[in-house]
């Protein structure tokens, strides 16, 4: 069943990616979401429509949670979490780091209880490089069909760490303070503007770790499963995630801990 869901996710993500390639360099800015630096474009909506058409045709009873507003409760106990264009600012500026993220989650717990959502399959498709990262829970992570794994062991001083920044000025000030504290302790810090891709690049050993403390579920639902299945420890950090191989994760967590009271992600992000 999970492999069938993965195949559906791949088809959906590739459909979204085709829309992004077709519109690259000529998409129209439609407005902004959380702040004036948080854009939404015609390409975001077209990609989500393409993804949802595939999911609706193949899995009509499942729920949907899409970044651009597609929400459906469903009746199957499964839902699809979709980010149709993770890295919209990069896309607008002609930068190559953006992706389509599609995860399938299963509801756990008693039917009449609060329950949790557990990712069972995830796909992050990079339409520029033609790379597709995939994972099925309990079956490992892959890049274009080949197994991938996190780099382990890596000590803190030798770690290349990725991060990202929120859109609000107060958030950025806090996140800058964290980066200021972390930078002297590691090899270097990078930020590529796409949480989904960054999670997968940790999984493939292109980064050693990633942290970001303000994310939505669609930002990390698929990528966190890919990273976890590649051997990373994935835990909550505020509303975001901290991802690294186990030993490095322990050392990093002391330096990037979120302020008390900010967490709204399940304790083991990507596993609930």
């Amino acid at each position: 069943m999970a492999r069938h869901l993965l195949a559906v996710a791949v088809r959906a993500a590739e459909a979204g990616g085709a829309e992004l390639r077709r519109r690259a360099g000529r998409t129209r800015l439609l407005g902004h979401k959380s702040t004036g630096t948080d854009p939404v474009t015609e390409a975001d909506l077209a990609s989500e429509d393409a993804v949802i058409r595939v999911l609706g045709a193949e899995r009509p009873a499942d729920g949907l949670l899409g970044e651009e507003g597609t929400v459906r409760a469903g009746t199957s106990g499964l839902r699809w979490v979709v980010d149709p264009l993770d890295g919209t600012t990069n896309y607008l500026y002609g930068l190559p780091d953006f992706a389509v993220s599609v995860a399938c989650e299963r509801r756990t717990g008693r039917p009449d209880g609060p329950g949790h959502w557990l990712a069972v399959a995830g796909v992050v498709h990079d339409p520029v490089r033609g790379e597709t990262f995939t994972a099925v829970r309990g079956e490992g992570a892959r890049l274009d069909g080949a197994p991938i794994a996190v780099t382990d062991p890596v000590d803190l001083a030798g770690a290349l760490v990725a991060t990202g920044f929120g859109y609000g000025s107060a958030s950025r000030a806090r996140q800058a303070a964290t980066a200021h504290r972390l930078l002297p302790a590691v090899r270097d810090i990078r930020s590529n503007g796409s949480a989904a891709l960054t999670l997968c690049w940790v999984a493939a050993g292109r980064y050693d770790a990633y942290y970001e403390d303000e994310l939505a579920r669609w930002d990390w639902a698929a990528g966190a499963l890919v990273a976890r299945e590649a051997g990373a420890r994935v835990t909550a950090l505020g509303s975001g995630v901290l991802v690294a191989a186990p030993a490095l994760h322990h050392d990093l967590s002391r330096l990037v801990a979120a302020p008390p009271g900010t967490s709204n992600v399940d304790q083991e992000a990507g596993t609930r």
Side-chain angles (χ1 to χ4, degrees):
M1 178 62 171
R3 292 187 183 183
H4 163 71
L5 296 172
L6 182 68
V8 172
V10 169
R11 288 192 288 272
E14 289 178 344
E19 284 291 333
L20 298 182
R21 287 195 305 273
R22 186 168 69 85
R23 295 168 182 272
R26 59 184 188 87
T27 194
R28 185 163 62 96
L29 178 67
L30 298 180
H32 297 86
K33 292 179 280 189
S34 60
T35 73
T37 57
D38 184 7
V40 60
T41 71
E42 288 179 324
D44 292 83
L45 302 184
S47 178
E48 182 154 304
D49 286 346
V51 171
I52 297 308
R53 280 197 301 272
V54 173
L55 299 179
E58 300 204 34
R59 302 289 307 177
D62 298 346
L64 292 168
L65 176 63
E67 180 181 13
E68 304 309 329
T70 303
V71 178
R72 186 175 73 207
T75 58
S76 66
L78 297 173
R79 75 172 181 184
W80 297 87
V81 182
V82 176
D83 191 337
L85 174 48
D86 186 58
T88 301
T89 299
N90 288 343
Y91 187 81
L92 274 174
Y93 277 77
L95 298 173
D97 296 342
F98 57 86
V100 182
S101 175
V102 180
C104 185
E105 298 182 328
R106 182 180 71 245
R107 193 176 188 276
T108 65
R110 292 173 50 185
D112 58 346
H116 297 287
W117 290 99
L118 183 79
V120 294
V123 173
V124 176
H125 175 59
D126 179 343
V128 174
R129 297 171 181 84
E131 294 183 333
T132 303
F133 297 88
T134 60
V136 170
R137 176 165 292 275
E139 297 187 14
R142 295 178 179 272
L143 167 56
D144 296 334
I148 53 176
V150 296
T151 303
D152 187 38
V154 177
D155 63 17
L156 186 64
L160 182 60
V161 179
T163 190
F165 302 96
Y167 291 107
S169 58
S171 296
R172 290 181 174 188
R174 185 191 70 253
Q175 291 161 342
T178 300
H180 177 76
R181 185 168 65 247
L182 179 63
L183 186 55
V186 298
R187 182 189 298 275
D188 211 343
I189 295 178
R190 298 284 187 270
S191 180
N192 77 347
S194 170
L197 274 184
T198 302
L199 285 161
C200 292
W201 289 358
V202 173
R206 297 175 185 175
Y207 290 132
D208 296 312
Y210 166 62
Y211 75 94
E212 188 166 352
D213 66 2
E214 287 190 15
L215 295 170
R217 194 174 191 97
W218 45 73
D219 294 317
W220 54 260
L225 180 63
V226 173
R228 179 184 181 277
E229 288 297 318
R233 186 179 180 204
V234 182
T235 58
L237 182 69
S239 61
V241 289
L242 170 59
V243 183
L248 180 58
H249 184 288
H250 177 268
D251 292 336
L252 274 176
S253 64
R254 297 179 293 103
L255 293 171
V256 303
T262 62
S263 178
N264 63 8
V265 179
D266 298 315
Q267 188 59 37
E268 284 286 331
T271 69
R272 295 274 183 108

